[in-house]
Amino acid sequence: MAACRRVQRVLLLIFISGWICCAHGAKSLNAGNENVDNVERGKNQAEVGKAAAADGASVVRRGNAWKLAEEAACQEDVSRICPKHSWSNNLAVLECLQDRKDGTEITSDCNHLLWNYKLNLTKDPKFENVASEVCKSTITGIKECAAEERGKGYLVSCLVDHRSNISEYQCNQYITKMTTIIFSDYRLICGFMNKCEDDINILHCGSVNTGEKDLHSQGEVISCLEKGLVSEAEDQPGHHVIKEECKKAIMRVAELSSDDFHLDRHLYFACREDRERFCENTQAGEGKVYKCLFNHKFEEGMSDKCKDALSTRQKLIAQDYKVSYSLAKACKPDLRKYRCNMDSAMPRAREAKLSYLLLCLETAVHRGQTVTGECQGEMLDYRRMLMEDYSLSPEIVLHCRSEIESQCSGLHHKGRTLHCLMRVSREKGIFESHCQKALQTLIQETDPGADYRIDRALNEACESVIQTACKHIRNGDPMILSCLMEHLYTDKMVEACEQRLLELQYFISRDWRLDPILYKKCQNDAARICHTHGWNETSEFMPPGAVFSCLYRHAYRTEMQGRRGSSESSDVNAKLSRDCKTEVQRILHQRALDVKLDPELQQRCMTDLGKWCSEKTEAGQELECLQDHLDDLVSACRDVVGNLTELESEDIQIEALLIRACEPVIQSYCHEVADNQIDTGDLMECLVANKHQKEMNEKCAVGVTHFQLIQMKDFRFSYKFKMACKEDVLKLCPNIKKKVDVVVCLSTTVRNDTLQDVKEQRVSLKCRKQLRVEELEMSEDIRLEPELYESCRQDIKQHCQNVVFGNAQVIECLKENKKLLNPHCHQKVFRLQEQEMMDPELDFQLMRVCKQMIRRFCTETDSKNMLQCLKQNKNSELMDPKCKQMITKRQITQNTDYRLNPVLRKACKADIPKFCQNILNKAKDDNELEGQVVSCLKLKYADQRLSPDCEDQIRVILQESALDYRLDPQLQLQCTEEIPRLCAEEVAAQEQTGQVEECLKVNLLKITHEGCKKEVLNILKESKADIFVDPVLHTACALDIKHQCAAILPGRGRQMSCLMEALQDKRVRLQPECKKRLQDRIDMWSYAAKVAPAEGFSDLAGQVFTSPAKTYILSMLAMSVLLLFFMGLLCGRITKRVTQELKDRNLDQPWFVPLDRTGKGYNLFY
């Protein structure tokens, strides 16, 4: 106020008195005010210049009727510019002239007159008398103004400062008019010129000396100073540091002009036309016009000069919230209530910043405290303002300048530059930490997570999605963002919305407080478990995302379970509340869509993402890529990927894309487990079990299989397996990490304990149950058995390249091409088959194809005997053809090697080494014996030398192979050429009922291959031991067996002997077909004996004992021995030997050779 001490007293008593009368009458004042407000405010911009000086000049004293309009210097201008009804009101004339339209000039003399008139009005002590009369009650209520010394011009300035508190109508109108006069020229503002004179000259904002060309309005000078202040805040190159007292004066001027845009003369002139265009119906006062113009700042019709003036005004508001009249007024009680401007430890300038006010009041809101609706509405407007225009945040302008110029130039409108900076930060990570922090700070200040409408770019991009996918949620609700995240990468999402959403979520994910729902539900848990501070308090030592990482580790922490790499307390009681856990799961499910939304993952895996996953750009592919290369990742990245994969195994819904792809299967088969709030791995187990249902689409199948493959890398990635077998693994399989190795280790332990009949299994019951589940899952896809897959990778490419993975199809292909595989792969496949035969439930193809038949025939059968049950029911009329075909395949496999037939192996445990040791000595590990041991046992069966149990099993094999030649691997091997040559029609038969073997028997003389001939002769030999192994004969003689041999037990040739005796007994009449077939068999056996004589005494003895006429032969041998004995006693030593030929001639029975394949004709030989 010191600058106001020199007060020029000019003889203005007459017209001042006249003006007082107008003020007291209120009529003319009101009329003048309304006229000016309604007609002149908001007009086109006037020229800006210097006000006319009044060096020593003064207005001549006039009488009571002195009128400004009648003054010779301005009479012409007034009549030309101002409406006639305003001529009698000096203030109306003054306002008309200084707010004139563009292109309308007034004379220099009038300028001088107006300048002196305004100067004297503001400084004449008698003017204070007017204020004292008009604002009498107001002055009494404002202590600061009541205490001001009279006669020095202080009172008017005080009233202007406190005009927001003036409720008296006439006083308010008077001060408003006075303010308009004062703000038309910075030199009229008390003290402003003295404080800012040096800065005005340095910045070349104008001249403090008046001249002839100076206009009466110098709003441009203040505007220039304001821009200099903004330039300093943004640290622009070459900026001038304005003196502190001038800064305060500039901000005070901006604050005083905050309620009426007329008072900001530069902005008023710059935006008059825009005000008429966009805000015509907006009344002046209380900052309403400012707010209206701010809202239309980026409209296409907004002029550049107005846009620039508005930006300057907004930047001042960002530095001092009081520059916004509406915000300061609406939030004043709340600021006082929550002590937002009473922090003694903070600089005053910091407290005045808009960001500080927003953070302080947002903290109160997030704590659940009450902030008035009016204040929250104002906060929303200014948070939106900051998000629309990056230039309003000096820190971003300062720290992100180079990035804006190189990456985001020309995108200033509607928040596009900010989103561009977010995008570059998210995708390329090229920012220095200062720019990243500036962006993060802005997001915290504006808090768009609480209301998506704050982010105009996001709001516009996602409007259509919100209207369709999220229309059930109240507009402005924080759950809108959550809804958008849930529809990310769906058909309802549009590309522009997707990009804006991910850009914003990138920063929200780095500060857990920016999700208001999460903060509300988890603030107490975070403070208790993760040692967090308040909403507006940060820690430099806490990295981005650390609090949320802490929360989700505790959200999934269960008893008996620890987390790898967990730095928090190991107290298992430190659990999250139910509401907090639900929110943490929601966030995890949403953010798992993009690795960039996991700060810890992105930070630790940046190098690996570039090295291994640079080409993986689709949604969800980056995490899958990291999981695929888990063993190749650096330690820090491997740990965080492992932790996340571990969480996925417990709650597969974290994989939102997978869950969406699998929706049909979930709805049909897994809806019960999907509805559970706590997953614990049940949903994934259900998806695996139903992976081959018709509802399963390709995306779901690929996703489920990928997760299964990842689980193979570490047993802890299988939640249910980990929880069931954790103690068993630590005790029995320590230091083993890979799941497949753990499964093998535990399975081996279970098998050994079972074979040794131990009283108590070393593997716990719950682990054994889950182990069975894991083994069954692994059998479905060769890739789930990495060792087998790696061994056979080349063979798969060569022999199974067109076979699709899954359904054990590749494994089945390798089995069918087993003879073509490389030795290493062959061994692995053999071991796999050995395991499957011991436990048929692990044979995925068998269990899948025969699923219904198992339910029909084998519901009560133990899993170990499943194949045995199916074999027994193979020929049932109710047996499914596909299942029957699969059973036959498995029988063929079993007969290639006794080790693939557990039942036979156990039954013939003693017989195999006793009779077939020479074959075992030549055998190689993990390679088939091509049925040699089985053939060996068959021959011993014919000799009736096997143990009863072994004999029973060989009989079954003989019966089965007699019906289907493919079950005899030696016959197939030796007769590879003969079978298609001699028996093509029989081979082509749809159903194998022994036709091929019968064909080979009939065409025995046509067989040229010695090995094949020997096999057929062996078949003939075997058939003498039991009629059941000769299906053709057994079918022909079934009725005769029932009538003639019902009391005879099968086996050891007993029923065959019975039929032979019946054939020789003339009293018995056999069926013609049976009689004929028996006679044919006799002829064949005779031929076999001719071409395949006994190779030794044991063989001869065997043939005798297996012969249907063994009684006769043995009796004749006994008689011969007795005769020889007596002859020796009587005649001495017999020296003459009977030749073999004579012995043959003494045989009474002829033998026959078939003439044709049908067996209808024979040649007789002697």
Side-chain angles (χ1 to χ4, degrees), residues 366-561:
H366 285 293
R367 288 173 178 170
Q369 296 170 319
T370 303
V371 174
T372 61
E374 187 180 3
C375 180
Q376 289 200 49
E378 290 295 327
M379 289 169 61
L380 182 66
D381 290 338
Y382 284 97
R383 284 152 63 191
R384 185 187 293 119
M385 181 187 78
L386 291 174
M387 283 296 292
E388 281 187 352
D389 191 347
Y390 79 94
S391 65
L392 306 184
S393 303
E395 295 82 3
I396 292 181
V397 175
L398 173 61
H399 298 301
C400 302
R401 184 177 291 120
S402 61
E403 287 79 11
I404 293 172
E405 292 174 356
S406 61
Q407 303 284 336
C408 307
S409 59
L411 298 173
H412 188 71
H413 299 325
K414 301 179 184 179
R416 294 175 187 170
T417 302
L418 271 178
H419 270 277
C420 174
L421 293 172
M422 293 179 190
R423 174 180 56 80
V424 177
S425 179
R426 173 180 172 269
E427 293 181 355
K428 300 182 179 180
I430 63 172
F431 285 179
E432 297 293 333
S433 59
H434 293 300
C435 185
Q436 180 90 22
K437 288 179 180 178
L439 286 167
Q440 191 71 45
T441 300
L442 177 64
I443 300 298
Q444 185 182 3
E445 292 168 359
T446 55
D447 196 14
D451 190 337
Y452 74 98
R453 296 172 298 179
I454 292 170
D455 189 341
R456 183 171 179 178
L458 175 70
N459 188 13
E460 292 183 356
C462 297
E463 184 177 2
S464 61
V465 183
I466 294 170
Q467 292 300 321
T468 54
C470 310
K471 59 184 178 181
H472 60 286
I473 303 176
R474 180 178 56 84
N475 199 23
D477 192 287
M479 285 304 294
I480 291 285
L481 274 183
S482 180
C483 173
L484 290 174
M485 286 298 294
E486 289 172 3
H487 288 87
L488 199 62
Y489 305 121
T490 64
D491 295 337
K492 293 183 179 180
M493 179 60 64
V494 296
E495 184 178 0
C497 177
E498 179 181 297
Q499 293 299 322
R500 302 296 86 76
L501 181 62
L502 287 175
E503 289 157 8
L504 178 61
Q505 284 289 347
Y506 176 81
F507 287 90
I508 291 179
S509 66
R510 275 146 180 76
D511 190 341
W512 74 288
R513 300 167 299 178
L514 299 182
D515 188 307
I517 305 173
L518 176 67
Y519 183 80
K520 180 179 179 182
K521 300 291 186 181
C522 295
Q523 56 180 322
N524 294 331
D525 294 303
R528 174 171 53 89
I529 298 173
C530 308
H531 314 295
T532 59
H533 305 281
W535 192 86
N536 192 24
E537 298 175 17
T538 58
S539 173
E540 296 293 331
F541 303 101
M542 190 168 289
V547 176
F548 185 71
S549 296
C550 166
L551 288 174
Y552 79 61
R553 279 194 288 270
H554 282 83
Y556 289 89
R557 184 188 295 278
T558 57
E559 292 186 10
M560 305 298 294
Q561 177 187 6

Side-chain angles (χ1 to χ4, degrees), residues 167-186:
S167 58
E168 191 176 356
Y169 179 76
Q170 290 185 358
C171 180
N172 188 49
Q173 291 295 309
Y174 168 73
I175 294 300
T176 299
K177 290 297 178 184
M178 195 62 210
T179 307
T180 305
I181 296 171
I182 292 175
F183 279 86
S184 67
D185 195 320
Y186 72 95

Side-chain angles (χ1 to χ4, degrees), residues 70-87:
E70 296 176 356
E71 210 45 50
C74 292
Q75 187 173 10
E76 182 183 348
D77 294 317
V78 171
S79 60
R80 178 167 49 89
I81 297 173
C82 302
K84 190 173 183 179
H85 61 79
S86 65
W87 293 356

Side-chain angles (χ1 to χ4, degrees), residues 1038-1076:
L1039 190 60
D1040 295 298
I1041 292 173
K1042 183 177 180 180
H1043 290 99
Q1044 306 299 330
C1045 309
I1048 306 298
L1049 295 174
R1052 295 186 176 270
R1054 288 185 285 265
Q1055 289 186 340
M1056 184 66 78
S1057 297
C1058 172
L1059 287 175
M1060 294 298 293
E1061 292 174 0
L1063 179 64
Q1064 294 174 1
D1065 191 344
K1066 295 180 180 180
R1067 295 171 298 176
V1068 178
R1069 298 189 61 177
L1070 299 176
Q1071 296 291 323
E1073 183 67 19
C1074 177
K1075 186 174 182 179
K1076 178 182 175 301

